[in-house]
Amino acid sequence: MTAREGSRNLLVGVDAGGTKVAVLVADAQDAALGQATYPTDLSGPEQTLAGIAAAIRVTLAVAGVPLDAVAAVGLGVPGRVDPETGVVRHAVNLKWEALPVGDLLGGLLGVPCFVENDVRAAALGLQRHPAHAGVAHLAYLSVGTGIAAGVILNGRLHRGAHGMAGEIGHMIVDPAGPRCECGSRGCLEALTAGPAIARMGAQAVAAGAATVLRAADPLTAEAVYRAAGAGDAVAQAITGQVGRRLAQALQQLIMTYDVERVVLGGGVARAGDLFLAPILAEFGRLRAESALAAEMLPPEMFHLLPPDYDAGTWGAVTLAREGVNRVHSAVVDSTEGGPQREPIYTG
Amino acid sequence: MTAREGSRNLLVGVDAGGTKVAVLVADAQDAALGQATYPTDLSGPEQTLAGIAAAIRVTLAVAGVPLDAVAAVGLGVPGRVDPETGVVRHAVNLKWEALPVGDLLGGLLGVPCFVENDVRAAALGLQRHPAHAGVAHLAYLSVGTGIAAGVILNGRLHRGAHGMAGEIGHMIVDPAGPRCECGSRGCLEALTAGPAIARMGAQAVAAGAATVLRAADPLTAEAVYRAAGAGDAVAQAITGQVGRRLAQALQQLIMTYDVERVVLGGGVARAGDLFLAPILAEFGRLRAESALAAEMLPPEMFHLLPPDYDAGTWGAVTLAREGVNRVHSAVVDSTEGGPQREPIYTG
């Protein structure tokens, strides 16, 4: 039996990463009906997709919700996405290359599927968090294996001419810096993302520095922040340098976009205050030097991602909602003068 | 005699700088009815305003157009402006500080006056130039005594949370660089604006370098570009360094906003190809290193401001038009259900 169209009022948000697939089922009032996380199946591009479809089906079943009550699925993906067509151009961690993920996943489930970059989806998710709701100009900076920003301008997600807006991991901040995977030298990502922090730790160890990092195995960015928190001077020098460079990049982001709120998240930011404090210290230094900096970089504008909040899946729910509403307006537009259908989703 | 409201269909655009006031009168079809330039009266803040009002009256008189045929005036100002209230917060070159310019000029003329930063107004002006019309994501970078960008995103001027979007002259690009007037070190403006270029020339002369700049009086940025064009190696080293730094700033701007077109203007950019070539050379180097750079920085996206086109006054005309339409929609909105007035301007 197929549900009446009017009863398709649930939304599914999915955040698919290189290690796990997080699924959230929400109703029209934005209440969570079910939430679950599954390991990512990386045995092949189609297996990964089938695994995501299975994760959605299981989450729905556990929540006691039939698939045909779902109006749409939103999917956040770590990579480059064309949100109009649902094609994922590259998603290195998922081994996807030029894959029409929206159509394929939609076909597997029989439900429309809308795809977006995961950092952008998380920025959308922040819009409905009580701490950030109503902030019209917000940047979400994700610092993990890579670095990217999702940017809300005038209350709307900004995508840019090629869907590349906010790819500030590849801003060149030190033309004499280390080579980035993209080929350029001194990209922000090559200087301050997780692998760069781990590399700086390893270099200090190799240079014979007296540091507890010598015993860290594996020597990750997390280990560097933990050592800094325990008072290790070598680790503190590294986190201090990362903080100064991230502060510089954020200053550039703020002077460019004029956002009023910055939220920091991603794997490296999970170090919490150990991650945030060196960034805030650098902003303090800048404020002391310049009235303009004091005005544009007030300490209260910088926040860590709320640790108990899954911005990625909630943003994917928003993506699903916007997608359904967009498709529906197009239907209404194309039948102008004809019978007007009720909105299929108006949450 | 007062003209009927319906006949108030002309617009005036004004670009007020520290040396001259440029005025343009346009009809509803965007045809220029009159254009003139007058020296700026800097004897006092109110004299400057009165001078602008006089410049408008004279331009109208020469064009044979009565003041009461004007629906609105748009004014571009080199400084910080609150476009909602028409208050100019600072305009150093005009010696204006916290001045309600929109209300004051509107009062002097009896015509609504809409005010915006001059670089933003010029970005608006580019939208109607045949070479740039239809470009949805465009940045206009003005390099003169200061540096700022006016940015069009999704076809609309982006102003930001505090009207500071695009103030990239104060992006910190070299934290160890020279002190900027804003108090910070190594702002883009302190490294690549006109005064910085002139200073680098003077430093080379003071250091005893063999250069024709020794004979330049005054030693301006223009003189440095002229010497570079004549083959002077010292001047070429300076313009090369400025080009690399501006290219780096533009790369950051492009990775942030994902604009598809960049237009360069301002006093320093009047050096034309001598100004542009070092920037393009640096982009060529970046493209050779990185597929991402090759995609995001194609040579055809970079343009000089058309030299025979006054983007500032045309943008101020757009400002006037948008202002009138905005005020009018507000009137219609507030009288919902009541009699609908005809739009007073729909050019």
Side-chain angles (χ1 to χ4, degrees), chain A residues 172-175 248 251-252 282 285-286 289, chain B residues 169-180 184-192 241 245 248 252:
Chain A
I172 296 172
V173 293
D174 178 5
Q248 186 188 338
Q251 192 267 355
Q252 294 175 340
E282 176 68 1
R285 199 185 64 74
L286 293 176
E289 283 187 341
Chain B
H170 298 288
M171 282 195 341
I172 296 172
V173 293
D174 178 5
R179 188 73 66 184
C180 178
S184 295
R185 276 193 180 281
C187 291
L188 180 63
E189 194 166 295
L191 293 165
T192 64
Q241 186 184 326
R245 284 192 158 135
Q248 186 188 336
Q252 295 175 338

Side-chain angles (χ1 to χ4, degrees), chain A residues 160-201:
Chain A
H162 315 86
M164 291 292 278
E167 285 294 337
I168 66 162
H170 298 288
M171 282 194 342
I172 296 172
V173 293
D174 178 5
R179 188 74 65 184
C180 178
E181 281 187 24
C182 81
S184 294
R185 275 193 181 280
C187 291
L188 180 63
E189 193 166 297
L191 292 165
T192 65
I197 298 168
R199 192 188 61 234
M200 285 187 275

Side-chain angles (χ1 to χ4, degrees), chain A:
Chain A
M1 189 187 81
T2 304
R4 287 183 312 107
E5 190 167 73
S7 70
R8 278 192 179 267
N9 57 0
L10 304 186
L11 297 167
V12 173
V14 182
D15 188 11
T19 54
K20 63 187 179 61
V21 174
V23 182
L24 169 69
V25 183
D27 69 12
Q29 285 71 45
D30 235 16
L33 303 183
Q35 251 170 314
T37 298
Y38 305 87
T40 307
D41 181 348
L42 289 175
S43 56
E46 311 212 335
Q47 286 83 345
T48 304
L49 259 177
I52 292 171
I56 293 170
R57 286 180 188 275
V58 175
T59 309
L60 289 168
V62 171
V65 169
L67 182 56
D68 61 10
V70 175
V73 172
L75 174 66
V77 165
R80 192 159 167 193
V81 175
D82 179 350
E84 298 298 317
T85 61
V87 172
V88 175
R89 288 184 53 180
H90 327 276
V92 178
N93 296 340
L94 300 178
K95 302 180 186 166
W96 287 348
E97 195 75 23
L99 201 67
V101 169
D103 286 350
L104 291 173
L105 187 59
L108 287 173
L109 296 168
V111 169
C113 177
F114 302 94
V115 192
E116 182 52 277
N117 169 272
D118 59 348
V119 176
R120 292 224 187 97
L124 279 177
L126 285 172
Q127 281 198 299
R128 64 171 287 294
H129 190 277
H132 306 295
V135 178
H137 298 85
L138 176 150
Y140 169 60
L141 185 73
S142 172
V143 183
T145 310
I147 293 184
V151 184
I152 306 286
L153 301 179
N154 296 306
R156 306 278 304 168
L157 191 62
H158 173 59
R159 293 184 163 99
H162 315 86
M164 291 292 278
E167 285 294 337
I168 66 162
H170 298 288
M171 282 194 342
I172 296 172
V173 293
D174 178 5
R179 188 74 65 184
C180 178
E181 281 187 24
C182 81
S184 294
R185 275 193 181 280
C187 291
L188 180 63
E189 193 166 297
L191 292 165
T192 65
I197 298 168
R199 192 188 61 234
M200 285 187 275
Q203 283 167 345
V205 168
T211 166
V212 301
L213 294 175
R214 208 160 276 291
D217 183 24
L219 206 175
T220 58
E222 193 189 342
V224 173
Y225 277 99
R226 217 181 308 118
D232 187 274
V234 170
Q236 286 174 344
I238 295 171
T239 60
Q241 186 183 326
V242 169
R244 283 190 298 278
R245 282 190 159 137
L246 285 175
Q248 186 188 338
L250 284 172
Q251 192 267 355
Q252 294 175 340
L253 196 74
I254 292 162
M255 294 314 294
T256 307
Y257 279 125
D258 187 11
V259 290
E260 62 204 299
R261 179 74 52 88
V262 170
V263 180
L264 294 145
V268 174
R270 283 200 205 103
D273 284 337
L274 292 169
F275 168 77
L276 190 58
I279 299 174
L280 293 184
E282 176 68 1
F283 286 134
R285 199 185 64 74
L286 293 176
R287 281 194 300 272
E289 283 187 341
S290 157
L292 180 64
E295 182 184 350
M296 297 297 287
L297 309 168
E300 64 273 15
M301 79 183 282
F302 302 99
H303 295 249
L304 287 170
L305 190 66
D308 53 347
Y309 179 64
D310 191 346
T313 52
W314 277 113
V317 165
T318 300
L319 206 65
R321 176 180 302 124
E322 291 185 354
V324 170
N325 289 340
R326 195 169 60 237
V327 168
H328 180 67
S329 345
V331 169
V332 171
D333 289 351
S334 68
T335 58
E336 207 190 329
Q340 297 269 314
R341 290 173 20 188
E342 286 299 296
I344 50 180
Y345 185 84
T346 53

Side-chain angles (χ1 to χ4, degrees), chain B:
Chain B
M1 190 187 81
T2 305
R4 288 183 311 108
E5 191 168 73
S7 69
R8 279 193 177 265
N9 59 359
L10 304 187
L11 297 166
V12 173
V14 182
D15 188 11
T19 55
K20 63 188 177 63
V21 174
V23 182
L24 170 69
V25 182
D27 70 12
Q29 285 71 46
D30 235 14
L33 303 182
Q35 251 170 314
T37 298
Y38 305 87
T40 307
D41 180 347
L42 290 175
S43 55
E46 311 213 333
Q47 286 82 346
T48 304
L49 258 177
I52 292 171
I56 293 169
R57 286 180 188 276
V58 174
T59 309
L60 288 168
V62 170
V65 169
L67 183 57
D68 61 10
V70 175
V73 172
L75 174 65
V77 166
R80 190 158 168 195
V81 176
D82 178 350
E84 298 300 318
T85 61
V87 172
V88 175
R89 288 184 53 180
H90 327 275
V92 178
N93 295 340
L94 299 179
K95 301 180 187 165
W96 287 348
E97 194 75 23
L99 201 67
V101 169
D103 286 349
L104 292 173
L105 187 59
L108 287 173
L109 295 168
V111 170
C113 177
F114 302 95
V115 192
E116 183 51 278
N117 168 273
D118 59 347
V119 176
R120 293 223 186 97
L124 280 177
L126 286 172
Q127 282 197 298
R128 62 172 289 293
H129 190 276
H132 305 295
V135 177
H137 299 85
L138 175 149
Y140 169 60
L141 185 72
S142 172
V143 183
T145 310
I147 293 184
V151 183
I152 306 287
L153 301 178
N154 296 306
R156 306 278 304 168
L157 191 62
H158 173 58
R159 292 184 164 101
H162 314 87
M164 291 293 278
E167 284 294 336
I168 66 163
H170 298 288
M171 282 195 341
I172 296 172
V173 293
D174 178 5
R179 188 73 66 184
C180 178
E181 280 187 24
C182 81
S184 295
R185 276 193 180 281
C187 291
L188 180 63
E189 194 166 295
L191 293 165
T192 64
I197 298 169
R199 192 188 60 234
M200 285 187 274
Q203 283 167 346
V205 167
T211 166
V212 300
L213 294 175
R214 207 160 277 290
D217 184 23
L219 205 177
T220 58
E222 192 189 343
V224 173
Y225 278 99
R226 217 180 308 118
D232 186 273
V234 169
Q236 285 174 345
I238 295 171
T239 60
Q241 186 184 326
V242 168
R244 282 190 299 278
R245 284 192 158 135
L246 285 174
Q248 186 188 336
L250 284 171
Q251 193 267 354
Q252 295 175 338
L253 195 74
I254 291 162
M255 294 314 294
T256 308
Y257 280 125
D258 187 10
V259 289
E260 62 204 298
R261 179 74 52 87
V262 170
V263 180
L264 294 145
V268 174
R270 282 200 205 103
D273 284 338
L274 291 169
F275 169 78
L276 190 58
I279 299 174
L280 293 184
E282 177 68 1
F283 286 133
R285 197 184 66 73
L286 293 176
R287 282 195 300 272
E289 283 187 341
S290 158
L292 180 64
E295 181 184 350
M296 296 298 287
L297 309 168
E300 64 273 15
M301 80 183 280
F302 302 98
H303 295 249
L304 287 171
L305 189 66
D308 52 347
Y309 178 65
D310 192 347
T313 51
W314 277 112
V317 165
T318 300
L319 205 65
R321 176 180 302 125
E322 291 185 353
V324 169
N325 289 340
R326 196 169 59 236
V327 168
H328 180 66
S329 343
V331 169
V332 171
D333 289 351
S334 68
T335 60
E336 207 190 332
Q340 297 271 313
R341 290 175 19 189
E342 287 298 297
I344 50 178
Y345 186 84
T346 53

